[in-house]
Structure formats: C-alpha cells, structure tokens
Amino acid sequence: KVYKVPATPMEAVNSSLMGFFEKRKFKFFLEFLAKYDKTQPSTYHKGKSLDKVTTRQLFEDFGLDANTQAFTGHAMALHRDDDYLEQPAEATAEAIQLYVFSLERYGKSPYIYPMYGLGGMPEGFSRLC
C-alpha cells in the first residue's frame, strides 16, 4: 500500500503512518524545522546549531521512533542509507525544509516532472531564458 508522507503539522496529525503520541511528537518536529534558521541562534535546538548535533540525536530529542525516523530520512530528506543518522543534522534539516517548501509551492507533489514526456524539461528551461 502507498502512503502519503506527512509534510505539515496538520498532515502529521491526520496520518495513518503513526500512532497517537507519535503524531504529536512529529508535529512538534515539523514545527521546529519550519522555524529553524541557521543564521538565527534563537531558532537553534536547545541552544545548539544543527551542525553541532547528529541527526540521530535530533530525532531522539524529539522522541521520534525508528519508523518515523526512517520515513523522515528516506522519504522526505531522500537519504539512500542510514549513514545520515551519524552526520550533522544541518543537511537533513535543509533537505526536509526544501521538501516541505516544494510541496507547499507545487501542490500535490514536491517534485517537478513533465506532463508530456521528457522533452518538456529542456523546453521549459529554454522558455525561461
């Protein structure tokens, strides 16, 4: 079965991917990422920039379980393996922010894909020039 990955706090509350308490934790996580700005120390997590905290530590601080960590890292941040968990959380946070921004901007899918075949991609770029 195919599930929609929740990208907003409201979708997190309505998602069937998580239990009741997990939804609340994930909602707080998404709200934190929506406000996070690496240039603003007031938005840091517990006073630390995300380049000083591993992704695993960030997930654990928000109490996210292994299932939620997996779909967040792989479906939202597009990491191929679990090595990202030991890396600084900055890159993962930026990838998730980009995913959410793209979803808000482009509608049902965060990815841009051609409607009339692959020839539409270069045509679209050439029209912009």
Side-chain angles (χ1 to χ4, degrees), residues 37-82:
D37 180 4
K38 65 182 174 184
T39 62
Q40 298 293 325
S42 63
T43 64
Y44 289 177
H45 180 64
K46 295 185 178 178
K48 291 184 181 178
S49 174
L50 292 186
D51 62 346
K52 306 278 190 255
V53 178
T54 66
T55 305
R56 184 182 308 278
Q57 289 171 327
L58 181 66
F59 286 158
E60 288 173 356
D61 283 350
F62 280 93
L64 302 180
D65 68 10
N67 182 40
T68 306
Q69 291 178 22
F71 80 73
T72 302
H74 298 294
M76 294 179 80
L78 301 178
H79 291 294
R80 286 177 276 160
D81 52 29
D82 287 344

Side-chain angles (χ1 to χ4, degrees), residues 94-106:
E94 288 177 357
I96 294 170
Q97 286 173 332
L98 179 62
Y99 177 90
V100 172
F101 171 76
S102 298
L103 192 61
E104 289 171 352
R105 182 166 183 181
Y106 299 113

Side-chain angles (χ1 to χ4, degrees), residues 81-126:
D81 52 29
D82 287 344
D83 293 342
Y84 75 95
L85 290 169
E86 303 308 322
Q87 305 288 331
E90 183 79 41
T92 300
E94 288 177 357
I96 294 170
Q97 286 173 332
L98 179 62
Y99 177 90
V100 172
F101 171 76
S102 298
L103 192 61
E104 289 171 352
R105 182 166 183 181
Y106 299 113
K108 295 181 181 181
S109 174
Y111 310 109
I112 300 174
Y113 52 92
M115 293 176 64
Y116 305 108
L118 293 177
M121 295 295 282
E123 179 185 345
F125 286 110
S126 65

